[in-house]
Amino acid sequence: MQNKKSENLKEQVLRMSGVNPSKCMRCGKCSGTCPSYDEMEYHPHQFVYMVENGDIETLMKSDSVYKCLSCFACVDRCPRGVEPAKLVEALRLCVIRQKGKNHMTADDIPAVLDDEMPQQALVSAMRKYSK
Amino acid sequence: MQRIGVFVCHCGTNIAGTVDVKAVAEALKNEPGVVFSTDYQYMCSQSGQNMIKEAVAEHRLTGIVVCSCSPRMHEATFRKTAQAAGLNPYMVEIANIREQCSWVHKDMPIGTEKAVILAKAAVAKVNLNAPLTPGESPVTKRALVIGGGIAGIQTALDIADAGFPVDIVETKPTIGGKMAQLDKTFPTLDCAACILTPKMVDVAQNEKIRIFSYSEVTDVKGFVGNFDVTIKRKARYVKEDVCTGCGLCTEKCPQKNVPNEFNLGMDNRRAIYIPFAQAVPKVATIDPNYCTMLKTGKCGVCSKVCTAGAIDYSAKDEYIEERYGAIVAATGFNPISMEKFDEFAYSQSKDVITSLELERLMNAAGPTGGTLLRPSDGEHPHTIVFVQCVGSRCAACEQKGKEYCSKICCMYTAKHAMLIRDKYPDTDVYVFYIDVRTPGKNFDEFYRRAVEEYGVHYIKGMVGKVSPEGGKLKVQASDLIYGKQLHIDADLVVLAAAIEPDKSARGLATMLTASMDTNDFFTEAHPKLRPVESPTAGVFLSGTCQGPKDIPETVAQAGAAASKVIGLLAKDKLLGNPCVAHSDEMMCNGCSTCEKVCPYGAITYQDKEFRMPDRTTKVRRIAVVNEAVCQGCGACTVACMSGAMDLRGFSSKQIMAEVDAICK
Ligand SMILES: Cc1cc2nc3c(=O)[nH]c(=O)nc-3n(C[C@H](O)[C@H](O)[C@H](O)COP(=O)(O)OP(=O)(O)OC[C@H]3O[C@@H](n4cnc5c(N)ncnc54)[C@H](O)[C@@H]3O)c2cc1C
Ligand code: SF4
Ligand code: SF4
Ligand code: SF4
Ligand code: SF4
């Protein structure tokens, strides 16, 4: 069902994240937990399923990877230890790597600040490295 | 007039907390027939029982009323007490003033009033009680097991182990059932034959067990302890005691194109055949529908090659009669027909198969020698789609499917998918499921292994359509997690067909007067507390004939059924329940109404000669109740329009007296 490119991408995501999506039993607890669910086009359990199916590009194109707050609630709650947030993180990294050298500079930040964006996003940035 | 003693129990505070027990005892003193009335803290205790015994002697009591807990708890206790005091045990009545008074009422006055009323009703009944004596019947110490699958095999072995003779009646030429057709078995993946055939050999070698293979039960009469059973031994045209099972005839028979049912028609056998190498008994059988000798009188090859001289073309069906104390139904199951499932193209393509067919295709003794090959072209399949719940959980149409979950298919599908991925790692395996149901020890772990270790693609959704096209099977299905319709080009589609009870079970149930549910599974006497007994005394249930089961559950139930049989056969005599129906032959019109309502088949009719007032004699048809079979349910007494039928110990008069006492 997959072509070479998407297979490579899938392999990359799996290596970066260290996640084994086949452990997922599709219970939906991650999506039931996710505080950002309503903002997302694809939800945490779908991330896992789509990665398993090698449907990486669809995810990379979707805004949903940025709606994830990295709160790690899904990681905490998943009964099978799948760690969906790590997949989301890997997907974000994939996007960045694909874009090449166009990281944001500090000056760009005020322009993209979002009043609606919870403070938690900042906190979670720290948290994800401690996990 | 009876001389009745009334004993009101406090049950600690269980009763006394909400019922004024002293007031009850006092109120009963003046009831007709009552000569003694008292209360006590625990009537069931040793001193409570002694109190009854002393009162019987002192007051010359002829009847006893105990106002206490439910008769289910202590009726037997107080009957024994009465017997020890020299009374007939059936002269005791219980007024249930605990479950029906103190436990359901909060107010003392209300609880007390009701207790008095119930006690008065019991007194009214005892006034009409008569001593009853249970009948006795002998027990024939031999059991019959109908069906020789793993259920019947295990039950027979366990009964024989306790020292009782057992006969197995199996309709096929060999015992073994479906398990003999399986390849490996979940959840441990041991080979079915390796664990089954030693048991089959044990059966063959056990002196206490006789196998009537290629046989059927055609008639059952009698009742618990004494069933008279007629067994038809179908003509197999081979003398069972002479045939050595060498199999020479099965190689030489020129009639080669007989569909081999053991391999589900996926290859051919001869007209004379032994179903499989480890068959028990290992005896050839001639299939009269294909044997040219039997059909046209020409051939006779097998008789020429048989050095033992076992062939007998003139054999006829034989009937034997035997008496048994207990009967075990172990008639098993079959996968349902897939004919009605056009959407899966089962009838259109050889490459759409059932799971049982897959078992044969993976079995080293199967038509492909254990290599998984497509039935259509003998090629290796590379993409395989499994469909679960085919015909299970299907409430739309009775002709098509079954409303229940078949219970075993989730697990055997996981097994199949895993075995295929293990042996042929280049194969893509998809499993479409509605739910994956894996309750059981090590079962979910087993299924997760299929996914996580063997990389089986489990997809939540159902296959809607399979169309054979250019050597492939185009599978159209839903993926409900993705919210997409999927299209897969498959080489092989495997249908996890629902299972149903063997079609012969209904006829058998009628013979045994055992009840069945709407799906033709045998009904148990109590779904929780008596799961291996049928409501008909002396008839027990083993294996999948009672409901879908895997092998571990089947074997557990088979052993449980055996222990119930042993418990029965260990008795020398059966004491009946004297509270049974009887018909007043003067009033009975022989209308047959009672026979129709009796759930146990206890009623038959007899033509009896009666002397008329004018000295002529007249033959009339009258109902006769078999007291050993009657369970005292009372259905007939209500149905009888002539009022001829009555129940001992619960006569209409007694019940009316109770009602009168309550309404007074
Ligand atoms: C595809 C498939 C795979 C399976 N895999 C597994 C597995 O891996 N592990 C597991 O635990 N379970 C498995 N099972 C379930 C297993 O087959 C059953 O649990 C088991 O066979 C039930 O045994 P039984 O004796 O009740 O019935 P059966 O095996 O059906 O035996 C009944 C016997 O009674 C005979 N009979 C029927 N009617 C009459 C009659 N009127 N008179 C005389 N004889 C009669 C039949 O000929 C048959 O020999 C599988 C089932 C299927 C369909
Ligand atoms: S880490 Fe992201 S995907 Fe997981 S729960 Fe939090 S927001 Fe949702
Ligand atoms: S919580 Fe875990 S197992 Fe459940 S759907 Fe999410 S990733 Fe899968
Ligand atoms: S007599 Fe019948 S069974 Fe025997 S060899 Fe001929 S065809 Fe076959
Ligand atoms: S056991 Fe599984 S496949 Fe079989 S009917 Fe039940 S849910 Fe469906």
Side-chain angles (χ1 to χ4, degrees), chain A residues 1 20 22-26 45-46 49-50 52-53 55 80, chain B residues 430 433 444 447-448 451-452 457-460 479 481-482 484:
Chain A
M1 289 222 286
N20 174 6
S22 74
K23 286 202 297 192
C24 169
M25 60 181 180
R26 329 227 189 282
H45 72 283
Q46 287 167 307
Y49 192 48
M50 289 166 79
E52 187 178 352
N53 282 308
D55 203 354
R80 310 271 323 167
Chain B
Y430 299 90
Y433 66 90
D444 204 66
Y447 144 64
R448 290 312 304 172
V451 179
E452 292 170 35
H457 305 296
Y458 266 77
I459 300 175
K460 160 85 191 161
D479 181 333
I481 305 262
Y482 237 138
K484 279 209 299 209

Side-chain angles (χ1 to χ4, degrees), chain B residues 151 170 178 185-186 331-333 359 415 504 544 549-551:
Chain B
E170 166 60 57
K178 248 59 75 198
T185 51
F186 65 75
T331 47
F333 74 98
E359 293 278 351
K415 168 184 80 173
S504 68
T544 45
K549 277 179 203 67
D550 56 23
I551 296 165

Side-chain angles (χ1 to χ4, degrees), chain B residues 249-250 252-256 270-273 285-287 290-295 298-303 305 311 313:
Chain B
C249 53
T250 68
K252 295 288 190 274
C253 169
Q255 196 51 259
K256 291 183 185 167
R270 311 290 172 108
I272 187 164
Y273 66 107
T285 305
I286 294 183
D287 184 339
Y290 291 93
C291 168
T292 36
M293 184 71 185
L294 290 175
K295 284 170 75 175
K298 293 195 194 81
C299 180
V301 168
C302 52
S303 128
V305 299
I311 311 290
Y313 300 117

